[in-house]
Amino acid sequence: MRRLLYSGLALAAGTLLLSLAAGELLTRPVRARIGPPPPDLSAEPVHIPYGERQQVSGWFLPGRAGEGVVLLLHGVRGSRLEMLERARWLQREGIGSLALDLPSHGESSGDRISFGRREALGVQAALGWLRERLPEERLGAIGVSLGGASLLFAERQPELDALVLESVYPTITDAVQDRLVKRLGPAGAWAAPLLLLQIPLRLGLGVHELRPIEAIKDVRAPLLVASGTEDRSTRWVETEQLFAAAPEPKTLAAVPGAGHEDLRDFDTEAYEARLLPWLQSHLRKSPGQRGQTALGKMAA
């Protein structure tokens, strides 16, 4: 009996230690030196200040006048490098972009990953920078996982002209539980509360503040929500719930067979064929509108 008690205590202690280690890993910054843009890329390094001595870094790729510009935001523990091929593709199509390192990632500042809530401040700064740099262009954004949550939590005023969310979690509770079940099986559902309890202690945020499914209700941009049908980190039913909470106009894009991975890499041809006309329909100005813009600039 005593041996059984000791074994139970040891198991509980081990579970707690593993939970604490996982909590540290999930919120620890993932900074890395990215360096200059590839030589073949027509891109400009940018560093955008915000808050109290904070900054986000990225690469700006210009496009053609009247085709629009897109903010590109990577997933958790990644960097702007994850969005590089999207940026290349958009530039080939004439659409400008800013591929950004989210706060606490890459070359951007930040002391903790906060699942989109504080990353939103860096996103707001980047949107402001793009509006100032290209005031006549329509502005869109593509956010993958953490990047999408950051966009939903950001103050997008004025609202974007096009918003793409890929593989975005509906609530932090879902996100933690899904990932633990994926790794530990059914026992992961029992371990999830131990990780969720750490969020207020590590981040000073309540679990109720990490609910993109509530933030999406305020979106007023044309919206495209995409996810893989085999995603076990953000299950398809959760993507449907997120989509259902969003107002019109909205489009749901299923990627058959894809998991929680880069949807463009999974099927590049299908991704570009679906997304390009959607982006162009919302970002491209008509020839008459471009002429008015040019005349306006000349008159100024």
Side-chain angles (χ1 to χ4, degrees):
M1 188 69 176
R2 183 177 296 177
R3 181 177 298 177
L4 185 62
L5 177 61
Y6 288 157
S7 297
L9 290 173
L11 179 61
T15 302
L16 179 60
L17 289 174
L18 284 173
S19 173
L20 291 171
E24 173 63 23
L25 180 64
L26 286 172
T27 60
R28 181 188 303 165
V30 189
R31 297 200 191 90
R33 174 167 170 72
I34 305 300
D40 65 318
L41 194 67
S42 176
E44 170 191 341
V46 299
H47 305 280
I48 304 167
Y50 73 96
E52 295 184 8
R53 298 192 295 276
Q54 302 292 312
Q55 62 87 31
V56 284
S57 298
W59 293 329
F60 171 67
L61 287 75
R64 294 192 297 269
E67 295 289 339
V69 62
V70 175
L71 178 63
L72 298 173
L73 300 174
H74 60 81
V76 68
R77 310 187 75 77
S79 73
R80 74 191 88 156
L81 295 175
E82 289 185 359
M83 309 303 285
L84 180 58
E85 292 310 310
R86 283 177 179 79
R88 288 183 190 275
W89 161 59
L90 291 172
Q91 191 173 55
R92 287 196 300 270
E93 300 295 340
I95 302 173
S97 66
L98 172 59
L100 197 73
D101 292 338
L102 286 166
S104 299
H105 294 75
E107 294 179 339
S108 296
S109 61
D111 58 0
R112 284 286 170 187
I113 296 170
S114 63
F115 311 109
R117 178 56 71 174
R118 293 190 182 130
E119 289 83 353
L121 300 176
V123 170
Q124 290 168 199
L127 291 173
W129 186 91
L130 283 169
R131 291 193 188 283
E132 184 175 343
R133 178 71 176 257
L134 299 167
E136 303 298 335
E137 293 293 335
R138 292 176 179 166
L139 177 57
I142 300 174
V144 175
S145 193
L146 174 67
S150 303
L151 278 164
L152 289 176
F153 291 137
E155 294 182 7
R156 304 172 309 278
Q157 297 301 324
E159 181 59 280
L160 298 171
D161 296 293
L163 176 56
V164 179
L165 304 176
E166 300 181 15
S167 310
V168 175
Y169 74 91
T171 74
I172 193 62
T173 301
D174 291 318
V176 169
Q177 183 165 302
D178 288 346
R179 284 156 178 78
L180 287 177
V181 169
K182 178 180 176 181
R183 288 165 175 76
L184 304 177
W190 294 95
L194 292 175
L195 276 179
L196 293 168
L197 283 172
Q198 297 179 52
I199 289 176
L201 301 175
R202 294 184 183 276
L203 302 178
L205 294 171
V207 171
H208 66 281
E209 297 179 81
L210 298 171
R211 293 177 56 85
I213 198 168
E214 295 298 327
I216 204 171
K217 296 176 182 178
D218 295 326
V219 170
R220 295 296 178 265
L223 177 67
L224 190 149
V225 177
S227 191
T229 59
E230 301 303 316
D231 191 337
R232 294 173 59 198
S233 295
T234 299
R235 294 175 294 124
W236 177 249
V237 66
E238 294 168 354
T239 296
E240 290 180 314
Q241 292 166 357
L242 185 73
F243 179 77
E248 297 284 356
K250 59 183 178 179
T251 301
L252 181 62
V255 183
H260 200 75
E261 58 191 296
D262 189 309
L263 299 180
R264 182 185 178 276
D265 285 352
F266 180 80
D267 190 338
T268 301
E269 184 177 353
Y271 180 94
E272 294 181 353
R274 184 162 202 171
L275 195 56
L276 180 61
W278 188 87
L279 285 172
Q280 288 175 332
S281 70
H282 296 296
L283 298 181
R284 175 181 280 173
K285 291 185 175 181
S286 67
Q289 289 172 315
R290 297 182 201 194
Q292 292 169 9
T293 297
L295 287 173
K297 286 186 176 179
M298 290 174 63

